[in-house]
Amino acid sequence: MKIVIINGSARKGNTLTAINAFIKGASEKNEIEIIEPDKLNIAPCKGCGVCQCSKGCVDKDDTNPTIDKIAAADMILFATPVYWWGGMSAQLKLIIDKCYCRGLQLKNKKVGTIVVGGSPVDSIQYELIDKQFDCMAKYLSWDMLFKKSYYATARDELEKNKDSMNELEGGIGKNL
Ligand SMILES: Cc1cc2nc3c(=O)[nH]c(=O)nc-3n(C[C@H](O)[C@H](O)[C@H](O)COP(=O)(O)O)c2cc1C
């Protein structure tokens, strides 16, 4: 499969650790590309609606090439830290909002989510983020392969959690 990973964290921390563990497992059988929104020049969606009757977003920044990559993928992995009691990061939301210009081309994708937060994983915060992805999945008929939540605060905390690392690499990555 062609897998596109959207990294919603700007720091070299737990989200990237989770992504790298996933890649270690999944890269043997799949072609993988990471999108790093904080390294791109992408303006937030203005809701102008012009994209709905033309080929793409009117913004002449990195929007269209980025959405092209997402539209061409077989699978999208959304990875984000929890920010402010139950939200994905602004970096990830920025990309998702800009998908509006090609929304229906994202139908029937295989999808996974990785969410890392500083609260225990039984917190409602993870449920809120999962529910938002469930709604998108319903709208776009996504095949939701997995939704994983991890608890880690300090930048290097997740890499010390061997069970989580094994799950990401072996349990999830290698099985794709
Ligand atoms: C702006 C900001 C807001 C945060 N808000 C929450 C929160 O509401 N709930 C939570 O569980 N963790 C929160 N955190 C903690 C991060 O989710 C946690 O440290 C995560 O491991 C960061 O991932 P990263 O290392 O990939 O950046 C917040 C962190 C930041 C920087």
Side-chain angles (χ1 to χ4, degrees), residues 94-124:
L94 172 75
I95 301 290
I96 291 175
D97 286 353
K98 293 307 278 281
C99 284
Y100 186 59
C101 68
R102 306 276 294 278
L104 297 179
Q105 289 173 37
L106 303 186
K107 269 192 138 180
N108 301 310
K109 300 286 184 194
K110 293 185 193 310
V111 164
T113 65
I114 293 174
V115 179
V116 190
S119 307
V121 289
D122 59 0
S123 162
I124 190 174

PDB file of all heavy atoms in Angstrom, residues 94-124:
ATOM      1  N   LEU A  94      -5.277  21.676  10.514  1.00  0.00           N
ATOM      2  CA  LEU A  94      -5.033  22.523   9.331  1.00  0.00           C
ATOM      3  C   LEU A  94      -5.099  21.691   8.058  1.00  0.00           C
ATOM      4  O   LEU A  94      -5.765  22.063   7.078  1.00  0.00           O
ATOM      5  CB  LEU A  94      -3.644  23.163   9.465  1.00  0.00           C
ATOM      6  CG  LEU A  94      -3.107  23.936   8.262  1.00  0.00           C
ATOM      7  CD1 LEU A  94      -3.805  25.280   8.139  1.00  0.00           C
ATOM      8  CD2 LEU A  94      -1.601  24.160   8.395  1.00  0.00           C
ATOM      9  N   ILE A  95      -4.421  20.543   8.072  1.00  0.00           N
ATOM     10  CA  ILE A  95      -4.395  19.684   6.882  1.00  0.00           C
ATOM     11  C   ILE A  95      -5.790  19.092   6.627  1.00  0.00           C
ATOM     12  O   ILE A  95      -6.263  19.055   5.492  1.00  0.00           O
ATOM     13  CB  ILE A  95      -3.366  18.534   7.057  1.00  0.00           C
ATOM     14  CG1 ILE A  95      -1.968  19.095   7.299  1.00  0.00           C
ATOM     15  CG2 ILE A  95      -3.401  17.594   5.838  1.00  0.00           C
ATOM     16  CD1 ILE A  95      -1.321  19.758   6.131  1.00  0.00           C
ATOM     17  N   ILE A  96      -6.442  18.644   7.675  1.00  0.00           N
ATOM     18  CA  ILE A  96      -7.765  18.035   7.502  1.00  0.00           C
ATOM     19  C   ILE A  96      -8.744  19.063   6.919  1.00  0.00           C
ATOM     20  O   ILE A  96      -9.491  18.767   5.992  1.00  0.00           O
ATOM     21  CB  ILE A  96      -8.275  17.448   8.834  1.00  0.00           C
ATOM     22  CG1 ILE A  96      -7.430  16.221   9.200  1.00  0.00           C
ATOM     23  CG2 ILE A  96      -9.758  17.071   8.739  1.00  0.00           C
ATOM     24  CD1 ILE A  96      -7.753  15.606  10.547  1.00  0.00           C
ATOM     25  N   ASP A  97      -8.708  20.277   7.436  1.00  0.00           N
ATOM     26  CA  ASP A  97      -9.606  21.318   6.901  1.00  0.00           C
ATOM     27  C   ASP A  97      -9.334  21.555   5.419  1.00  0.00           C
ATOM     28  O   ASP A  97     -10.262  21.714   4.618  1.00  0.00           O
ATOM     29  CB  ASP A  97      -9.430  22.638   7.662  1.00  0.00           C
ATOM     30  CG  ASP A  97     -10.046  22.594   9.053  1.00  0.00           C
ATOM     31  OD1 ASP A  97     -10.726  21.597   9.369  1.00  0.00           O
ATOM     32  OD2 ASP A  97      -9.833  23.548   9.829  1.00  0.00           O
ATOM     33  N   LYS A  98      -8.056  21.558   5.046  1.00  0.00           N
ATOM     34  CA  LYS A  98      -7.722  21.822   3.645  1.00  0.00           C
ATOM     35  C   LYS A  98      -8.117  20.659   2.727  1.00  0.00           C
ATOM     36  O   LYS A  98      -8.199  20.822   1.517  1.00  0.00           O
ATOM     37  CB  LYS A  98      -6.227  22.168   3.480  1.00  0.00           C
ATOM     38  CG  LYS A  98      -5.779  23.478   4.094  1.00  0.00           C
ATOM     39  CD  LYS A  98      -6.527  24.720   3.716  1.00  0.00           C
ATOM     40  CE  LYS A  98      -6.280  25.478   2.481  1.00  0.00           C
ATOM     41  NZ  LYS A  98      -5.162  26.386   2.365  1.00  0.00           N
ATOM     42  N   CYS A  99      -8.375  19.485   3.301  1.00  0.00           N
ATOM     43  CA  CYS A  99      -8.856  18.348   2.497  1.00  0.00           C
ATOM     44  C   CYS A  99     -10.240  18.625   1.918  1.00  0.00           C
ATOM     45  O   CYS A  99     -10.713  17.911   1.032  1.00  0.00           O
ATOM     46  CB  CYS A  99      -8.911  17.064   3.333  1.00  0.00           C
ATOM     47  SG  CYS A  99      -7.296  16.330   3.620  1.00  0.00           S
ATOM     48  N   TYR A 100     -10.888  19.662   2.403  1.00  0.00           N
ATOM     49  CA  TYR A 100     -12.216  20.037   1.905  1.00  0.00           C
ATOM     50  C   TYR A 100     -12.203  20.206   0.391  1.00  0.00           C
ATOM     51  O   TYR A 100     -13.179  19.890  -0.295  1.00  0.00           O
ATOM     52  CB  TYR A 100     -12.626  21.350   2.584  1.00  0.00           C
ATOM     53  CG  TYR A 100     -14.038  21.823   2.302  1.00  0.00           C
ATOM     54  CD1 TYR A 100     -15.131  21.022   2.617  1.00  0.00           C
ATOM     55  CD2 TYR A 100     -14.274  23.075   1.750  1.00  0.00           C
ATOM     56  CE1 TYR A 100     -16.432  21.473   2.372  1.00  0.00           C
ATOM     57  CE2 TYR A 100     -15.568  23.528   1.517  1.00  0.00           C
ATOM     58  CZ  TYR A 100     -16.642  22.719   1.819  1.00  0.00           C
ATOM     59  OH  TYR A 100     -17.910  23.151   1.577  1.00  0.00           O
ATOM     60  N   CYS A 101     -11.063  20.683  -0.126  1.00  0.00           N
ATOM     61  CA  CYS A 101     -11.003  20.954  -1.575  1.00  0.00           C
ATOM     62  C   CYS A 101     -11.028  19.675  -2.401  1.00  0.00           C
ATOM     63  O   CYS A 101     -11.275  19.717  -3.599  1.00  0.00           O
ATOM     64  CB  CYS A 101      -9.781  21.801  -1.916  1.00  0.00           C
ATOM     65  SG  CYS A 101      -8.210  20.973  -1.692  1.00  0.00           S
ATOM     66  N   ARG A 102     -10.720  18.530  -1.777  1.00  0.00           N
ATOM     67  CA  ARG A 102     -10.713  17.272  -2.528  1.00  0.00           C
ATOM     68  C   ARG A 102     -11.463  16.204  -1.749  1.00  0.00           C
ATOM     69  O   ARG A 102     -11.225  15.015  -1.956  1.00  0.00           O
ATOM     70  CB  ARG A 102      -9.251  16.815  -2.734  1.00  0.00           C
ATOM     71  CG  ARG A 102      -8.340  17.861  -3.389  1.00  0.00           C
ATOM     72  CD  ARG A 102      -8.464  17.843  -4.894  1.00  0.00           C
ATOM     73  NE  ARG A 102      -7.967  16.592  -5.414  1.00  0.00           N
ATOM     74  CZ  ARG A 102      -6.677  16.322  -5.630  1.00  0.00           C
ATOM     75  NH1 ARG A 102      -5.776  17.245  -5.410  1.00  0.00           N
ATOM     76  NH2 ARG A 102      -6.302  15.163  -6.087  1.00  0.00           N
ATOM     77  N   GLY A 103     -12.351  16.628  -0.875  1.00  0.00           N
ATOM     78  CA  GLY A 103     -12.983  15.751   0.102  1.00  0.00           C
ATOM     79  C   GLY A 103     -13.423  14.406  -0.447  1.00  0.00           C
ATOM     80  O   GLY A 103     -13.038  13.367   0.067  1.00  0.00           O
ATOM     81  N   LEU A 104     -14.210  14.436  -1.520  1.00  0.00           N
ATOM     82  CA  LEU A 104     -14.792  13.178  -1.986  1.00  0.00           C
ATOM     83  C   LEU A 104     -13.760  12.245  -2.609  1.00  0.00           C
ATOM     84  O   LEU A 104     -13.995  11.050  -2.737  1.00  0.00           O
ATOM     85  CB  LEU A 104     -15.956  13.454  -2.939  1.00  0.00           C
ATOM     86  CG  LEU A 104     -17.112  14.198  -2.230  1.00  0.00           C
ATOM     87  CD1 LEU A 104     -18.249  14.492  -3.195  1.00  0.00           C
ATOM     88  CD2 LEU A 104     -17.630  13.438  -1.016  1.00  0.00           C
ATOM     89  N   GLN A 105     -12.579  12.802  -2.933  1.00  0.00           N
ATOM     90  CA  GLN A 105     -11.505  11.925  -3.437  1.00  0.00           C
ATOM     91  C   GLN A 105     -10.838  11.168  -2.298  1.00  0.00           C
ATOM     92  O   GLN A 105      -9.977  10.332  -2.526  1.00  0.00           O
ATOM     93  CB  GLN A 105     -10.469  12.746  -4.193  1.00  0.00           C
ATOM     94  CG  GLN A 105     -10.998  13.261  -5.513  1.00  0.00           C
ATOM     95  CD  GLN A 105     -10.039  14.220  -6.180  1.00  0.00           C
ATOM     96  OE1 GLN A 105      -8.836  14.063  -6.126  1.00  0.00           O
ATOM     97  NE2 GLN A 105     -10.592  15.237  -6.816  1.00  0.00           N
ATOM     98  N   LEU A 106     -11.206  11.494  -1.091  1.00  0.00           N
ATOM     99  CA  LEU A 106     -10.643  10.774   0.055  1.00  0.00           C
ATOM    100  C   LEU A 106     -11.565   9.659   0.524  1.00  0.00           C
ATOM    101  O   LEU A 106     -11.367   9.061   1.569  1.00  0.00           O
ATOM    102  CB  LEU A 106     -10.377  11.743   1.216  1.00  0.00           C
ATOM    103  CG  LEU A 106      -9.464  12.925   0.898  1.00  0.00           C
ATOM    104  CD1 LEU A 106      -9.161  13.713   2.164  1.00  0.00           C
ATOM    105  CD2 LEU A 106      -8.162  12.463   0.269  1.00  0.00           C
ATOM    106  N   LYS A 107     -12.582   9.380  -0.274  1.00  0.00           N
ATOM    107  CA  LYS A 107     -13.540   8.307   0.075  1.00  0.00           C
ATOM    108  C   LYS A 107     -12.868   6.941   0.035  1.00  0.00           C
ATOM    109  O   LYS A 107     -11.953   6.712  -0.765  1.00  0.00           O
ATOM    110  CB  LYS A 107     -14.703   8.312  -0.921  1.00  0.00           C
ATOM    111  CG  LYS A 107     -15.851   9.193  -0.471  1.00  0.00           C
ATOM    112  CD  LYS A 107     -17.085   8.945  -1.306  1.00  0.00           C
ATOM    113  CE  LYS A 107     -18.306   8.910  -0.391  1.00  0.00           C
ATOM    114  NZ  LYS A 107     -19.533   8.673  -1.093  1.00  0.00           N
ATOM    115  N   ASN A 108     -13.365   6.055   0.882  1.00  0.00           N
ATOM    116  CA  ASN A 108     -12.972   4.635   0.887  1.00  0.00           C
ATOM    117  C   ASN A 108     -11.496   4.378   1.203  1.00  0.00           C
ATOM    118  O   ASN A 108     -10.982   3.316   0.869  1.00  0.00           O
ATOM    119  CB  ASN A 108     -13.305   3.968  -0.460  1.00  0.00           C
ATOM    120  CG  ASN A 108     -14.795   4.055  -0.766  1.00  0.00           C
ATOM    121  OD1 ASN A 108     -15.625   3.716   0.075  1.00  0.00           O
ATOM    122  ND2 ASN A 108     -15.138   4.542  -1.938  1.00  0.00           N
ATOM    123  N   LYS A 109     -10.826   5.344   1.813  1.00  0.00           N
ATOM    124  CA  LYS A 109      -9.429   5.107   2.205  1.00  0.00           C
ATOM    125  C   LYS A 109      -9.377   4.176   3.410  1.00  0.00           C
ATOM    126  O   LYS A 109     -10.308   4.134   4.218  1.00  0.00           O
ATOM    127  CB  LYS A 109      -8.741   6.425   2.607  1.00  0.00           C
ATOM    128  CG  LYS A 109      -8.689   7.476   1.537  1.00  0.00           C
ATOM    129  CD  LYS A 109      -7.683   7.161   0.475  1.00  0.00           C
ATOM    130  CE  LYS A 109      -7.564   8.280  -0.541  1.00  0.00           C
ATOM    131  NZ  LYS A 109      -6.855   7.861  -1.744  1.00  0.00           N
ATOM    132  N   LYS A 110      -8.241   3.491   3.527  1.00  0.00           N
ATOM    133  CA  LYS A 110      -7.951   2.822   4.791  1.00  0.00           C
ATOM    134  C   LYS A 110      -7.342   3.887   5.700  1.00  0.00           C
ATOM    135  O   LYS A 110      -6.561   4.725   5.237  1.00  0.00           O
ATOM    136  CB  LYS A 110      -6.956   1.686   4.580  1.00  0.00           C
ATOM    137  CG  LYS A 110      -7.508   0.544   3.753  1.00  0.00           C
ATOM    138  CD  LYS A 110      -6.518  -0.594   3.697  1.00  0.00           C
ATOM    139  CE  LYS A 110      -6.882  -1.616   2.649  1.00  0.00           C
ATOM    140  NZ  LYS A 110      -8.255  -2.089   2.680  1.00  0.00           N
ATOM    141  N   VAL A 111      -7.708   3.852   6.973  1.00  0.00           N
ATOM    142  CA  VAL A 111      -7.279   4.913   7.882  1.00  0.00           C
ATOM    143  C   VAL A 111      -6.878   4.331   9.236  1.00  0.00           C
ATOM    144  O   VAL A 111      -7.453   3.344   9.707  1.00  0.00           O
ATOM    145  CB  VAL A 111      -8.426   5.951   8.054  1.00  0.00           C
ATOM    146  CG1 VAL A 111      -8.198   6.858   9.257  1.00  0.00           C
ATOM    147  CG2 VAL A 111      -8.574   6.800   6.792  1.00  0.00           C
ATOM    148  N   GLY A 112      -5.846   4.960   9.841  1.00  0.00           N
ATOM    149  CA  GLY A 112      -5.481   4.650  11.220  1.00  0.00           C
ATOM    150  C   GLY A 112      -5.251   5.953  11.968  1.00  0.00           C
ATOM    151  O   GLY A 112      -4.978   6.988  11.342  1.00  0.00           O
ATOM    152  N   THR A 113      -5.390   5.906  13.290  1.00  0.00           N
ATOM    153  CA  THR A 113      -5.087   7.101  14.081  1.00  0.00           C
ATOM    154  C   THR A 113      -4.170   6.727  15.250  1.00  0.00           C
ATOM    155  O   THR A 113      -4.314   5.654  15.839  1.00  0.00           O
ATOM    156  CB  THR A 113      -6.353   7.783  14.655  1.00  0.00           C
ATOM    157  OG1 THR A 113      -6.988   6.915  15.595  1.00  0.00           O
ATOM    158  CG2 THR A 113      -7.342   8.142  13.569  1.00  0.00           C
ATOM    159  N   ILE A 114      -3.232   7.628  15.534  1.00  0.00           N
ATOM    160  CA  ILE A 114      -2.385   7.495  16.725  1.00  0.00           C
ATOM    161  C   ILE A 114      -2.495   8.804  17.491  1.00  0.00           C
ATOM    162  O   ILE A 114      -2.225   9.881  16.937  1.00  0.00           O
ATOM    163  CB  ILE A 114      -0.910   7.237  16.334  1.00  0.00           C
ATOM    164  CG1 ILE A 114      -0.763   5.875  15.660  1.00  0.00           C
ATOM    165  CG2 ILE A 114      -0.011   7.322  17.572  1.00  0.00           C
ATOM    166  CD1 ILE A 114       0.636   5.598  15.109  1.00  0.00           C
ATOM    167  N   VAL A 115      -2.924   8.715  18.737  1.00  0.00           N
ATOM    168  CA  VAL A 115      -3.105   9.899  19.575  1.00  0.00           C
ATOM    169  C   VAL A 115      -2.257   9.729  20.832  1.00  0.00           C
ATOM    170  O   VAL A 115      -2.326   8.691  21.494  1.00  0.00           O
ATOM    171  CB  VAL A 115      -4.597  10.063  19.960  1.00  0.00           C
ATOM    172  CG1 VAL A 115      -4.784  11.279  20.848  1.00  0.00           C
ATOM    173  CG2 VAL A 115      -5.472  10.172  18.711  1.00  0.00           C
ATOM    174  N   VAL A 116      -1.430  10.734  21.141  1.00  0.00           N
ATOM    175  CA  VAL A 116      -0.583  10.665  22.336  1.00  0.00           C
ATOM    176  C   VAL A 116      -0.905  11.846  23.239  1.00  0.00           C
ATOM    177  O   VAL A 116      -0.900  12.992  22.782  1.00  0.00           O
ATOM    178  CB  VAL A 116       0.923  10.717  21.991  1.00  0.00           C
ATOM    179  CG1 VAL A 116       1.754  10.386  23.220  1.00  0.00           C
ATOM    180  CG2 VAL A 116       1.264   9.778  20.854  1.00  0.00           C
ATOM    181  N   GLY A 117      -1.193  11.565  24.497  1.00  0.00           N
ATOM    182  CA  GLY A 117      -1.524  12.649  25.417  1.00  0.00           C
ATOM    183  C   GLY A 117      -0.857  12.484  26.765  1.00  0.00           C
ATOM    184  O   GLY A 117      -0.366  11.406  27.103  1.00  0.00           O
ATOM    185  N   GLY A 118      -0.891  13.553  27.520  1.00  0.00           N
ATOM    186  CA  GLY A 118      -0.295  13.547  28.852  1.00  0.00           C
ATOM    187  C   GLY A 118      -1.264  13.098  29.926  1.00  0.00           C
ATOM    188  O   GLY A 118      -0.965  13.196  31.120  1.00  0.00           O
ATOM    189  N   SER A 119      -2.422  12.597  29.531  1.00  0.00           N
ATOM    190  CA  SER A 119      -3.409  12.089  30.498  1.00  0.00           C
ATOM    191  C   SER A 119      -3.560  10.588  30.290  1.00  0.00           C
ATOM    192  O   SER A 119      -3.368  10.094  29.175  1.00  0.00           O
ATOM    193  CB  SER A 119      -4.779  12.734  30.278  1.00  0.00           C
ATOM    194  OG  SER A 119      -4.675  14.130  30.265  1.00  0.00           O
ATOM    195  N   PRO A 120      -3.945   9.866  31.358  1.00  0.00           N
ATOM    196  CA  PRO A 120      -4.165   8.428  31.206  1.00  0.00           C
ATOM    197  C   PRO A 120      -5.174   8.138  30.095  1.00  0.00           C
ATOM    198  O   PRO A 120      -6.101   8.926  29.875  1.00  0.00           O
ATOM    199  CB  PRO A 120      -4.721   8.012  32.581  1.00  0.00           C
ATOM    200  CG  PRO A 120      -4.231   9.056  33.520  1.00  0.00           C
ATOM    201  CD  PRO A 120      -4.158  10.335  32.732  1.00  0.00           C
ATOM    202  N   VAL A 121      -4.995   6.988  29.419  1.00  0.00           N
ATOM    203  CA  VAL A 121      -5.782   6.741  28.202  1.00  0.00           C
ATOM    204  C   VAL A 121      -7.268   6.452  28.453  1.00  0.00           C
ATOM    205  O   VAL A 121      -8.035   6.354  27.492  1.00  0.00           O
ATOM    206  CB  VAL A 121      -5.187   5.609  27.328  1.00  0.00           C
ATOM    207  CG1 VAL A 121      -3.909   6.065  26.664  1.00  0.00           C
ATOM    208  CG2 VAL A 121      -4.975   4.344  28.131  1.00  0.00           C
ATOM    209  N   ASP A 122      -7.675   6.342  29.716  1.00  0.00           N
ATOM    210  CA  ASP A 122      -9.117   6.184  29.946  1.00  0.00           C
ATOM    211  C   ASP A 122      -9.809   7.553  30.057  1.00  0.00           C
ATOM    212  O   ASP A 122     -11.007   7.642  30.307  1.00  0.00           O
ATOM    213  CB  ASP A 122      -9.401   5.323  31.188  1.00  0.00           C
ATOM    214  CG  ASP A 122      -8.795   5.902  32.456  1.00  0.00           C
ATOM    215  OD1 ASP A 122      -8.149   6.984  32.373  1.00  0.00           O
ATOM    216  OD2 ASP A 122      -8.959   5.293  33.525  1.00  0.00           O
ATOM    217  N   SER A 123      -9.059   8.641  29.832  1.00  0.00           N
ATOM    218  CA  SER A 123      -9.655   9.985  29.880  1.00  0.00           C
ATOM    219  C   SER A 123     -10.589  10.196  28.681  1.00  0.00           C
ATOM    220  O   SER A 123     -10.328   9.716  27.568  1.00  0.00           O
ATOM    221  CB  SER A 123      -8.547  11.037  29.851  1.00  0.00           C
ATOM    222  OG  SER A 123      -9.087  12.289  29.487  1.00  0.00           O
ATOM    223  N   ILE A 124     -11.651  10.947  28.914  1.00  0.00           N
ATOM    224  CA  ILE A 124     -12.625  11.246  27.843  1.00  0.00           C
ATOM    225  C   ILE A 124     -11.977  11.979  26.659  1.00  0.00           C
ATOM    226  O   ILE A 124     -12.481  11.950  25.539  1.00  0.00           O
ATOM    227  CB  ILE A 124     -13.811  12.070  28.412  1.00  0.00           C
ATOM    228  CG1 ILE A 124     -14.927  12.160  27.362  1.00  0.00           C
ATOM    229  CG2 ILE A 124     -13.348  13.441  28.875  1.00  0.00           C
ATOM    230  CD1 ILE A 124     -16.190  12.808  27.869  1.00  0.00           C
TER     231      ILE A 124
END
